[in-house]
Amino acid sequence: MSDEISYQNQDLITNNPFTPRGQGSPEGTPIPNKFALPKDPKVRLLIILSAVVVILLLLSTIVTTVRQSTRNTTPVKVARVTQAPQPTDVPNTSNFPQDLKDQFDAADKNTQKQVNFDPPQIDNSIGL
Amino acid sequence: MWFLVLFLLFVHPVLAQDATASASPTLAPPTPTPYLFTQYSQDYLYQYGLYQQAYLDYVNKKQVYTKYGTITTQKDKYTATINALSARNLTLRSYLIALRTLLNDYQSSNPTATQKVQIDLSKWESWTNEQTTVIPALNNDSDVTRWATDFKNQYPLIQKSIYSALVQHEANLRQTTLIQIQSIADSIKNNSKIQPESQQWISTLAVKSDLVNTSINNSLNYTQRSQNQGRFSNFYPDSRLELSKANNYLIEIIGDLKLIVTKFYHP
C-alpha cells in the first residue's frame, strides 16, 4: 500500500515543476554534485589544462620569489686584490750582502704598493 | 840697507783669512723638490669636498622647487645647478691633473704608452678648462639641459681615459718591479760568494717572469675594450685581477730568489 497521498492540484510532487530535481521523483534521481566535471570531454580537457597552467604559474612565482630573496642576500662579487700567501719560513735577508739586501727591500716595497686613487663619485645627471 | 834686509828676512806673506765656520755664511740645504702628486691630490680632495657641498645644496633646492614650484624656488634651483656643475667640473679637472702627474712615477718602464695616456688625459683637462667659462655663461634651463646632456654623453669617454690611466700606472709599477728582480738575478750571478749552482735555479724563474708579462699585457688589453655610446663598459675590475696575478707572481719570484741566496751564499 502506497504512502503517497494524491492531490488534485499542482502541489503534487510528481507534477510540481518547482520541486528540485530528484525530490519526489519516484526513481530518486541523485542530486548531481555541482563540483563534478561536466560530461563534455572537451570542456573537461579545458578545465584540466587550465588547472595545470594555474599550478605552474603559482610554482614559478614561488620559485622566483625564493631565488630573488637568495640573490639579495648574496654579496656582489668585487674584484679584490689579494697577495699570494707568504711562506711561513720567509728567508731572513739580514745575512745577505748589503747591495742585495737593499735591492730585495726595494722590490718588496714595490710589491706592497697598491694603486688607491679612485676617481670621484659624481652625479652625471645634474641639470637633467 | 840693513833695515831693508832685516825687513825682507822677517816679513811673512800676508795670507788671506782662512774661511771659518763663523766667518762664512751657512750654506742652506737644497730645497727638496716637492712631490707634485701630493700637492695636486690635496687640491683634488679639496675640490671634491666643495663639490659634495654644492651637490647637497642642489639636491635640496631641487626638492624644494619640485614641492612648491614658485619663481623664487626655480631661481634658487637654477643657481644651485650652476654651482654644482661648476664644482663638479673643477673636481674632474683637478683629478685629471693629479692622475696625469701620478703617471710620471714609473713612466720609464713604458714611456711611449704612458705618454699616450697622459696626452689623452691632457685633452680632457683642456676640455674641463674650457667648461669653467662655458658653465657660468649658461643663461636658462634649456641651455643647462643641453649642456648637461652633452656632458652625460662625453662622460663615458672621460671614464675610459681615467681607468686606462690607472691601469697603465699599476702596469708600470709591476713592470718596474720585474726589472728590479732581473737586476737582483744579475747581481746574484755576478756575486763571487754565491755558488755557481745557483744559476740553474735562477734560469727556472724565466717561466714566472713570462707569466708576469702576460698578466700585465692582458690587463692593458682590457683597456682597449670598445665602449658603447653613452654607457661606460667598466674594464677596470678585470684589469685589476690581472695586475694582482702579476703581483703575486712577482712575490713568488722574490721569495724564490731569497731562498737561492740563502742556500748558495757563503760569506
Side-chain angles (χ1 to χ4, degrees):
Chain A
M1 193 170 183
S2 169
D3 290 331
E4 237 181 61
I5 300 166
S6 61
Y7 294 93
Q8 294 300 320
N9 55 26
Q10 66 180 354
D11 289 332
L12 256 177
I13 294 169
T14 51
N15 290 332
N16 190 341
F18 297 112
T19 54
R21 279 190 189 174
Q23 277 187 11
S25 165
E27 291 83 19
T29 312
I31 302 167
N33 186 359
K34 66 179 175 182
F35 293 113
L37 290 174
K39 288 184 182 174
D40 186 4
K42 287 182 186 172
V43 176
R44 273 194 186 187
L45 185 63
L46 188 65
I47 290 171
I48 290 167
L49 288 176
S50 301
V52 167
V53 167
V54 167
I55 290 167
L56 285 174
L57 274 172
L58 278 171
L59 277 172
S60 67
T61 307
I62 292 166
V63 167
T64 308
T65 310
V66 167
R67 277 186 187 167
Q68 271 179 357
S69 61
T70 310
R71 205 172 287 156
N72 284 339
T73 56
T74 308
V76 175
K77 283 184 188 173
V78 176
R80 292 186 184 277
V81 177
T82 53
Q83 284 200 341
Q86 296 284 344
T88 50
D89 52 346
V90 177
N92 188 359
T93 59
S94 58
N95 297 330
F96 288 7
Q98 190 60 40
D99 60 334
L100 269 180
K101 185 173 178 304
D102 294 340
Q103 286 179 297
F104 274 120
D105 287 344
D108 281 335
K109 206 172 161 186
N110 275 349
T111 57
Q112 285 158 16
K113 279 186 189 169
Q114 298 293 336
V115 177
N116 291 320
F117 194 53
D118 291 333
Q121 298 295 313
I122 61 170
D123 182 1
N124 65 350
S125 64
I126 296 175
L128 290 174
Chain B
M1 176 84 174
W2 287 108
F3 177 74
L4 186 61
V5 170
L6 282 170
F7 177 76
L8 289 171
L9 278 172
F10 290 108
V11 76
H12 296 282
V14 175
L15 299 173
Q17 280 186 322
D18 289 332
T20 61
S22 57
S24 66
T26 308
L27 291 173
T31 309
T33 309
Y35 183 39
L36 281 176
F37 172 69
T38 305
Q39 291 181 349
Y40 288 139
S41 62
Q42 283 170 354
D43 180 45
Y44 152 66
L45 289 171
Y46 171 71
Q47 292 296 337
Y48 190 30
L50 292 179
Y51 160 71
Q52 286 168 325
Q53 289 171 18
Y55 180 68
L56 279 175
D57 185 48
Y58 158 76
V59 168
N60 287 337
K61 295 282 165 42
K62 191 176 172 187
Q63 283 173 349
V64 167
Y65 170 66
T66 305
K67 193 174 175 183
Y68 296 107
T70 62
I71 293 175
T72 310
T73 56
Q74 185 185 21
K75 195 179 166 193
D76 289 344
K77 176 199 148 203
Y78 178 80
T79 307
T81 305
I82 296 292
N83 290 341
L85 289 175
S86 292
R88 184 183 71 183
N89 188 60
L90 287 173
T91 301
L92 261 180
R93 181 169 145 253
S94 57
Y95 179 81
L96 290 166
I97 292 171
L99 182 58
R100 182 171 54 81
T101 313
L102 180 66
L103 280 164
N104 289 336
D105 279 359
Y106 304 105
Q107 188 182 13
S108 55
S109 59
N110 281 308
T112 310
T114 307
Q115 204 173 13
K116 190 177 162 207
V117 168
Q118 285 178 313
I119 289 171
D120 200 32
L121 289 175
S122 296
K123 183 184 88 176
W124 290 115
E125 274 175 52
S126 302
W127 185 82
T128 50
N129 227 11
E130 282 172 23
Q131 307 315 309
T132 53
T133 49
V134 168
I135 292 169
L138 296 171
N139 283 326
N140 48 54
D141 283 336
S142 61
D143 282 350
V144 169
T145 306
R146 199 175 307 120
W147 188 92
T149 307
D150 184 46
F151 176 83
K152 196 168 182 179
N153 289 334
Q154 298 273 38
Y155 190 55
L157 300 174
I158 299 176
Q159 285 178 294
K160 181 177 186 290
S161 294
I162 287 173
Y163 285 112
S164 297
L166 289 170
V167 170
Q168 186 67 58
H169 174 66
E170 189 168 348
N172 290 351
L173 169 60
R174 303 305 170 211
Q175 195 71 49
T176 300
T177 311
L178 184 63
I179 293 169
Q180 284 176 325
I181 287 171
Q182 284 161 354
S183 172
I184 290 173
D186 290 339
S187 297
I188 291 172
K189 281 179 196 169
N190 295 330
N191 194 310
S192 55
K193 294 183 180 171
I194 297 177
Q195 291 173 348
E197 288 85 351
S198 61
Q199 303 304 317
Q200 64 182 358
W201 295 102
I202 291 175
S203 59
T204 63
L205 300 179
V207 173
K208 282 191 186 167
S209 297
D210 288 342
L211 290 173
V212 171
N213 282 323
T214 303
S215 295
I216 291 174
N217 289 335
N218 287 345
S219 73
L220 291 170
N221 286 340
Y222 279 121
T223 64
Q224 304 305 314
R225 191 185 286 177
S226 59
Q227 299 289 328
N228 295 327
Q229 192 163 3
R231 193 170 157 269
F232 176 60
S233 172
N234 195 358
F235 52 80
Y236 193 51
D238 294 326
S239 289
R240 288 217 78 184
L241 271 174
E242 289 294 331
L243 289 167
S244 78
K245 274 192 218 172
N247 197 39
N248 287 342
Y249 290 133
L250 288 168
I251 291 171
E252 286 177 20
I253 295 172
I254 291 171
D256 291 344
L257 283 172
K258 285 180 182 173
L259 287 171
I260 288 169
V261 175
T262 303
K263 186 172 173 60
F264 294 107
Y265 174 59
H266 298 293

